[in-house]
Amino acid sequence: SAIPHVAFCIASRIPLSAAFLCASRTCRAVGDLPEIWRPALEACMMVGPPTDVVQEWRENWYCYWDGSFGMPRNSETHYVFRPGLEVALCGVVRPRSWEPSGPAREMFKELRSLLHLRGRIASTIGWGDEGDGRWIPLLVPWSGVDGALTTQSLLSKLGAHEEIIGACEDCGDSDDDCDDDTDSSKDMSQDLPKAWLRSHGEWLLFHAGSDKLNPLPCFAVAKVRPDLVAGFIGGICHT
């Protein structure tokens, strides 16, 4: 079929905003046909080269729990995520195992909404970051066996090391979102992730691995559907 090829071209050769508009207008006419929506979703979520902090967590991170204070001596037993997270062609971080169970059309709509939200929020994370950590969109298929959305279930789903899973700091109840920056001129768009999170029943705002590694994984995610967790991931540096 030519449909997967067309979907791939839409996803990778023209701007995403135009791609989604084109795909949405085309697919709206045919309703929920999976042979249309599934290839479009798969093309957008096709694995591309690792970038930003996702690449750092593979090749250039600092492990403290094994005493190396640099890249771990044994990368088989000391890692951030295993298998490593992937970056899709559309710029969204995803697990290596990508098996969405929900309707492709609804998944595609959530992907489009997430990328739209990315354009409205402050890109930098803050939270006492001594670097320039930025929020990156994240999509994680969810199933009944994954249980409720908790810091432990999310990190386990993503394959985080047990040292990281055991060192989470909740930022959801803090008025300043764990941020030590008290600059009153801070862009109000930084409040958007929290407002968006609170519009969903299950959501998390936290970082993990303080004093264990750098950069620390940070999350602002919500269960947007019973079968999908969406939001943002990033990395910050603490010393």
Side-chain angles (χ1 to χ4, degrees):
S1 171
I3 292 175
H5 176 70
V6 172
F8 176 81
C9 292
I10 289 174
S12 60
R13 297 185 183 178
I14 65 175
L16 278 173
S17 57
F20 282 123
L21 179 61
C22 177
S24 297
R25 287 179 175 174
T26 302
C27 297
R28 189 179 300 124
V30 295
D32 295 321
L33 292 177
E35 59 266 32
I36 298 295
W37 287 102
R38 183 64 64 184
L41 178 65
E42 290 178 353
C44 289
M45 297 305 295
M46 188 180 298
V47 171
T51 57
D52 300 316
V53 73
V54 173
Q55 185 175 16
E56 285 188 67
W57 286 328
R58 294 187 185 187
E59 303 173 359
N60 188 30
W61 62 283
Y62 292 81
C63 180
Y64 302 147
W65 69 74
D66 75 337
S68 63
F69 295 91
M71 281 294 291
R73 301 183 183 94
N74 186 337
S75 60
E76 291 298 316
T77 56
H78 303 297
Y79 51 86
V80 183
F81 299 100
R82 190 174 65 182
L85 301 178
E86 303 286 1
V87 179
L89 289 177
C90 64
V92 172
V93 177
R94 44 156 284 189
R96 181 170 299 176
S97 175
W98 177 259
E99 298 177 353
S101 59
R105 180 179 183 178
E106 298 305 314
M107 297 283 187
F108 195 89
K109 288 168 60 178
E110 294 295 347
L111 171 60
R112 181 178 58 186
S113 297
L114 182 62
L115 293 177
H116 176 70
L117 180 63
R118 177 181 61 179
R120 299 176 58 208
I121 69 172
S123 59
T124 53
I125 300 171
W127 292 4
D129 184 19
E130 298 175 21
D132 59 352
R134 297 177 180 276
W135 288 121
I136 310 169
L138 171 72
L139 279 182
V140 183
W142 207 257
S143 67
V145 298
D146 296 317
L149 178 61
T150 65
T151 58
Q152 182 173 359
S153 64
L154 177 65
L155 290 172
S156 297
K157 175 82 171 180
L158 296 178
H161 194 278
E162 60 183 9
E163 291 280 351
I164 300 172
I165 296 175
C168 296
E169 181 175 342
D170 179 20
C171 300
D173 294 328
S174 173
D175 290 336
D176 59 3
D177 289 348
C178 294
D179 198 339
D180 295 330
D181 183 2
T182 57
D183 183 0
S184 60
S185 65
K186 186 166 53 178
D187 192 330
M188 288 301 291
S189 63
Q190 289 187 346
D191 294 332
L192 273 174
K194 200 166 189 179
W196 175 79
L197 291 172
R198 287 178 169 169
S199 68
H200 297 86
E202 294 182 60
W203 58 274
L204 299 170
L205 189 64
F206 72 100
H207 63 65
S210 186
D211 299 325
K212 301 289 185 179
L213 79 160
N214 269 321
L216 284 65
C218 302
F219 296 89
V221 299
K223 187 182 285 188
V224 296
R225 293 176 42 86
D227 48 29
L228 187 67
V229 169
F232 298 88
I233 186 174
I236 59 175
C237 290
H238 284 174
T239 58

